[in-house]
Amino acid sequence: FSNVVYLKGALFVDAGNIWNFKNTKANGSLDSTQFKVANIYKQLGISAGTGFRLDFSYFLIRFDMGFRFKRPDITVNNGWQFPNINLKNLFGNNEANRRWRYENFNFTIGIDYPF
């Protein structure tokens, strides 16, 4: 709609994590969320996605879809999700496929920019 709303697109990549400075395990075993400089690259989560924005000039509505490419909380394949991306996981209708989509995809609706 000319001069009322503008449709804009977005591509994004995000990397990060939340760490603890102290070991939070009661038994003293290794805590995967404890900050250690040597393990930063192993503990980073990576996601990417796309979306579109409805820009009304005085506010913006965002619709974003993201996918978690690397999950530091999983040890299989060092957390990388690439080996599991297949048509069965993407479109399958059984409980395991639905759970995989639920754990790896994220759809977000937001107002104004996220930062």
Side-chain angles (χ1 to χ4, degrees):
F1 300 101
S2 182
N3 296 327
V4 175
V5 62
Y6 297 97
L7 180 63
K8 297 180 178 181
L11 295 173
F12 59 89
V13 175
D14 183 40
N17 203 342
I18 298 174
W19 289 278
N20 295 319
F21 282 112
K22 294 181 180 180
N23 190 344
T24 58
K25 297 276 184 170
N27 62 4
S29 63
L30 182 63
D31 187 354
S32 64
T33 61
Q34 185 178 6
F35 180 77
K36 294 196 184 290
V37 175
N39 294 333
I40 285 180
Y41 71 97
K42 294 178 186 175
Q43 294 177 338
L44 279 179
I46 301 170
S47 53
T50 187
F52 67 91
R53 281 88 171 99
L54 297 173
D55 188 349
F56 292 92
S57 296
Y58 50 93
F59 74 97
L60 182 115
I61 299 177
R62 298 179 288 114
F63 300 92
D64 294 330
M65 175 64 98
F67 179 76
R68 293 167 47 168
F69 284 99
K70 184 172 185 301
R71 297 180 55 189
D73 58 323
I74 293 179
T75 57
V76 177
N77 298 321
N78 292 325
W80 288 101
Q81 298 300 305
F82 288 117
N84 298 327
I85 299 173
N86 57 44
L87 291 175
K88 190 174 182 183
N89 278 339
L90 293 175
F91 301 109
N93 202 20
N94 66 24
E95 182 63 31
N97 299 130
R98 285 192 298 270
R99 179 127 183 108
W100 187 85
R101 286 191 300 268
Y102 175 78
E103 291 176 351
N104 292 294
F105 283 98
N106 184 25
F107 179 72
T108 304
I109 300 172
I111 298 175
D112 214 10
Y113 287 105
F115 43 84

